[in-house]
Amino acid sequence: MCEICSKEFKTREALRYHRRLHIDSERRFVCNFCGIRFVFKHQLRDHMYVHLNVRDHQCEFCAALFSHPHSLRKHIQYHHGKGRPERKYACTYCNKTFPAPTHLERHVRTHTGEKPFPCGHCELSYSREDKLKEHQLKAHQLMPYVCPVCSAGFRLVKELVTHSFEMHQVHAYDMSRKRITTKD
């Protein structure tokens, strides 16, 4: 059993592999699109399908599309199979249960009103990071993705990827470039 998250494993090898996920210095492979860090290079490669919006793996039961075979397998297991993950993390406010502590943590914020993601441009805060990013894009018109060739700004990664390929015939993205807003 992992002493950090209490997840159980059948072998010591699997546990040793899992423990690396909890050590930040082990996460050496960084996605240039969103900043998520991975322990193994193949995890980053598989993750890139999300940004390229390639969804060519289809569920035979409900026709849902996925970017990676692993995502499809998890979907089938969770929604259509017998292997639904055990929901052992219970909310103390409403007794709903969740399969992972992070899911429970996010849910508890609906009861406590905690909003740990403040906007750096105004006084608003959000309970989820994705909601903060959505606010910043809409309310502050942030253009967080900048073309390294011509400095054009884009709201979405896929817009930058499309632009850089169509205009410059390259797949380009540079995290070190300054974020710009339309107000600058």
Side-chain angles (χ1 to χ4, degrees), residues 8-175:
E8 295 179 7
F9 296 89
K10 293 180 181 175
T11 66
R12 288 184 183 185
E13 172 103 10
L15 174 60
R16 190 168 49 249
Y17 174 91
H18 167 81
R19 282 184 179 143
R20 293 178 72 184
L21 300 176
H22 293 295
I23 302 169
D24 281 342
S25 62
E26 290 285 323
R27 294 176 175 266
R28 300 174 313 174
F29 300 98
V30 182
C31 174
N32 287 337
F33 290 100
C34 66
I36 293 177
R37 303 170 68 85
F38 297 93
V39 174
F40 300 102
K41 191 174 188 175
H42 76 270
Q43 292 171 315
L44 173 59
R45 185 193 65 232
D46 294 345
H47 167 77
M48 292 307 294
Y49 285 100
V50 173
H51 295 299
L52 298 174
N53 207 22
V54 174
R55 293 175 183 242
D56 53 4
H57 302 281
Q58 189 169 27
C59 176
E60 61 188 273
F61 301 103
C62 68
L65 293 169
F66 298 90
S67 57
H68 194 268
H70 175 72
S71 302
L72 172 59
R73 282 192 302 274
K74 283 181 78 172
H75 163 81
I76 290 172
Q77 177 187 20
Y78 186 82
H79 292 285
H80 306 294
K82 298 174 187 171
R84 210 173 159 161
E86 185 182 350
R87 299 170 74 87
K88 58 184 176 180
Y89 300 96
C91 175
T92 55
Y93 294 94
C94 69
N95 292 324
K96 275 189 178 179
T97 56
F98 299 88
T102 53
H103 298 171
L104 171 61
E105 183 181 325
R106 185 172 61 192
H107 166 77
V108 166
R109 291 187 201 132
T110 64
H111 297 293
T112 64
E114 180 189 6
K115 296 182 177 183
F117 301 101
C119 177
H121 302 280
C122 68
E123 72 287 343
L124 295 176
S125 291
Y126 293 84
S127 61
R128 293 173 46 168
E129 189 173 18
D130 61 321
K131 297 299 180 189
L132 168 63
K133 287 180 180 178
E134 186 179 305
H135 156 77
Q136 290 176 331
L137 285 172
K138 289 180 180 175
H140 304 295
Q141 299 178 346
L142 287 184
M143 301 290 199
Y145 305 105
V146 179
C147 177
V149 179
C150 68
S151 298
F154 300 91
R155 291 172 49 150
L156 302 172
V157 172
K158 64 183 179 183
E159 291 173 344
L160 169 60
V161 170
T162 301
H163 161 83
S164 63
F165 184 74
E166 289 178 357
M167 300 303 290
H168 310 296
Q169 290 72 47
V170 292
H171 290 288
Y173 182 73
D174 184 355
M175 286 294 287

